[in-house]
Amino acid sequence: MSTITNHRTKGILLRFLPFWIFLVFFKFGGALHYSLISPLGERLLPLWIVGLLMGGGSLIQLLLDVPAGYLLDRFGYLKLLKLTTFFFILAAVCIVFGLTTVTYIMSLVMATAGWLFFGPGVNAYALSQAEKSNAGRFMSLRDMAGSLGVVFSSAILPFVLLFAPQAIGSTILIVLAAALVALFFSPKDTVSVHAEKKLETHHYYIRRHYLRDVLRAIKKLNPASSLLLMLNLSSSIFYGIIWFVVPLVIAHQANTGMLGLGLGVFDFAVVVLGYALGNLADKVEKRTLIFFGLLIFSVSGMLLGFNYGWLFLLFGFLATTGDEMAGISLWSWMHALDREHAQDGAVSGVINLAEDLGWAIGPMLAGVLYGLIGSSWTIAVGALPILVIWIIYQIMFRNNPIRSLTSAEVPRKPHRPRHKK
């Protein structure tokens, strides 16, 4: 059986190789651009304005999510992925012309347009191309390719910060141009992603739900849905602060190569521990996992910024481990409450709405706090909402009955990236 699985995975890998190359290079260039927003913006504007601009881009994405989905269906997934990559290339071109307030803001505008269709476009293309039997492997390869691109960008960030703005823009331009070229060799999409449900968590990836549907689902699936919403919101605020603050620290301090790699440790933890944590969720009581998961996440997050050496890697790993422990348990609990599974689409709206909002709030908060209390305390403050959720859970939900489900009954928890998507 494993031989057949490996053969099928190899077939998907080879047939869609240009698409995987696109993902690696797009996330390489896109994550590099995103991590440079705060240190480049600091040269031109007060940091609170930089945070406002950075978070504002994520807020625009949240507001335009529904119309972006309909445009993808109307004009085709691959076509709009080419367009969105071209917008990102324009973002790099703006920096090539030199770093001024005008070129900086124009670069952010183009990058916002570049991110708009990327997440839903990649998911829709992948699920429309995948067969029902290999959809899980297809999405796993998508996660691996995207994470690999982020690791590349994190590794070279300390060196790129030493470049002149024109060289920075040229580096991003070359990487994204390679991504665009790869798209032209990717298999064309001919089938709608809505034609067939390929995964139990299909709706998590194809999100297109209005606020009224989201609020209805939250009410029906309480208390698990409210806790999961709060966890996704607070964790996205935390990671949004990390991606604002850490590049600034790298720009200001010498010998921060390990810290650059630290930006990739959060996804690395999920890749390493994902399977083990899934098994743990079957054997350990959900209340215990939620209790310790939230506690480990909050404490590790608060300690994270007080040492930018190897302890940063350790606490980053532990923070994401706690995040996943709580998240897997809440995911299982919510699916136990959703017995009819008629709200799957709206449930995905709950999760994604909170994530997008968190990525908008995080940089805005960091932009204000960084100049007032410094990098270490800004990261610590970013972890406080997680501690508040832990306290709320102890007071309000600890005694709620949690119907246990095994991993065979619960759809695999989708990978939640700890970087801009």
Side-chain angles (χ1 to χ4, degrees):
M1 181 64 71
S2 60
T3 303
I4 295 173
T5 301
N6 291 337
H7 179 73
R8 288 176 178 172
T9 302
K10 185 178 179 181
I12 298 170
L13 186 64
L14 292 176
R15 184 186 170 198
F16 292 93
L17 185 59
F19 182 66
W20 309 132
I21 293 173
F22 157 73
L23 279 178
V24 171
F25 278 97
F26 187 98
K27 289 309 292 275
F28 186 174
L32 186 59
H33 182 276
Y34 188 75
S35 60
L36 287 165
I37 292 175
S38 54
L40 292 182
E42 185 189 31
R43 304 180 190 181
L44 302 166
L45 300 164
L47 276 178
W48 69 269
I49 295 180
V50 175
L52 195 64
L53 291 170
M54 198 170 174
S58 296
L59 187 60
I60 290 171
Q61 279 182 255
L62 187 157
L63 296 174
L64 296 181
D65 181 53
V66 171
Y70 287 115
L71 287 174
L72 283 162
D73 289 340
R74 172 68 178 82
F75 294 104
Y77 311 130
L78 204 61
K79 187 177 293 184
L80 284 189
L81 282 175
K82 292 174 183 175
L83 178 63
T84 209
T85 308
F86 178 71
F87 278 130
F88 232 128
I89 288 174
L90 292 181
V93 169
C94 291
I95 302 176
V96 170
F97 281 108
L99 188 61
T100 67
T101 303
V102 173
T103 59
Y104 176 75
I105 293 176
M106 284 301 299
S107 182
L108 294 188
V109 171
M110 292 295 104
T112 299
W115 285 116
L116 181 60
F117 296 107
F118 173 73
V122 165
N123 292 337
Y125 175 82
L127 285 174
S128 66
Q129 292 285 357
E131 298 175 7
K132 194 167 185 177
S133 60
N134 62 27
R137 287 188 292 275
F138 213 106
M139 300 309 286
S140 294
L141 287 170
R142 180 216 64 159
D143 296 336
M144 288 174 60
S147 295
L148 185 60
V150 173
V151 170
F152 286 157
S153 70
S154 301
I156 73 164
L157 178 61
F159 307 102
V160 172
L161 282 168
L162 301 175
F163 296 171
Q166 289 83 353
I168 291 175
S170 298
T171 301
I172 298 172
L173 174 61
I174 291 169
V175 172
L176 289 168
L180 183 61
V181 170
L183 270 184
F184 282 94
F185 293 93
S186 300
K188 292 181 171 56
D189 52 281
T190 55
V191 180
S192 169
V193 70
H194 307 287
E196 180 186 5
K197 186 176 179 180
K198 304 287 181 72
L199 287 170
E200 287 296 324
T201 51
H202 192 99
H203 288 300
Y204 177 91
Y205 298 104
I206 309 305
R207 49 180 182 159
R208 204 163 309 158
H209 305 282
Y210 293 98
L211 186 59
R212 62 177 182 273
D213 301 318
V214 171
L215 295 176
R216 215 175 279 137
I218 295 172
K219 184 177 180 181
K220 181 178 179 180
L221 303 176
N222 267 327
S225 58
S226 292
L227 279 169
L228 190 60
L229 185 147
M230 289 189 288
L231 175 61
N232 279 272
L233 174 64
S234 61
S235 62
S236 296
I237 290 173
F238 174 73
Y239 294 119
I241 287 175
I242 290 291
W243 280 85
F244 186 95
V245 170
V246 171
L248 285 172
V249 175
I250 294 173
H252 294 164
Q253 296 184 11
N255 303 318
T256 53
M258 185 178 292
L259 187 56
L261 292 174
L263 285 172
V265 74
F266 306 104
D267 264 289
F268 177 75
V270 179
V271 173
V272 172
L273 294 175
Y275 180 77
L277 289 174
N279 286 339
L280 187 66
D282 286 343
K283 299 173 182 177
V284 179
E285 188 183 16
K286 300 292 187 294
R287 287 191 188 89
T288 303
L289 284 179
I290 296 171
F291 175 89
F292 284 106
L294 291 174
L295 186 62
I296 292 170
F297 188 13
S298 59
V299 173
S300 298
M302 284 188 282
L303 295 174
L304 185 67
F306 291 97
N307 188 297
Y308 292 119
W310 67 269
L311 281 177
F312 182 92
L313 302 180
L314 174 62
F315 286 128
F317 189 91
L318 289 174
T320 305
T321 300
D323 184 8
E324 281 294 296
M325 283 173 61
I328 287 172
S329 301
L330 291 172
W331 176 262
S332 172
W333 187 10
M334 189 172 67
H335 274 274
L337 294 172
D338 189 19
R339 297 177 185 179
E340 299 174 359
H341 294 282
Q343 301 290 321
D344 285 347
V347 165
S348 72
V350 172
I351 298 169
N352 284 291
L353 176 70
E355 290 176 12
D356 289 346
L357 190 59
W359 279 98
I361 294 172
M364 294 181 185
L365 187 61
V368 174
L369 294 178
Y370 187 89
L372 296 175
I373 59 178
S375 63
S376 298
W377 284 106
T378 298
I379 293 174
V381 169
L384 277 179
I386 304 159
L387 183 61
V388 171
I389 295 171
W390 180 76
I391 295 171
I392 291 173
Y393 171 67
Q394 300 310 305
I395 296 173
M396 300 182 65
F397 303 124
R398 187 78 198 277
N399 294 322
N400 276 60
I402 299 180
R403 178 180 165 227
S404 294
L405 292 177
T406 66
S407 58
E409 297 175 278
V410 181
R412 183 173 68 93
K413 180 179 175 290
H415 173 73
R416 176 162 57 83
R418 271 70 180 183
H419 51 260
K420 179 71 172 176
K421 58 178 181 176

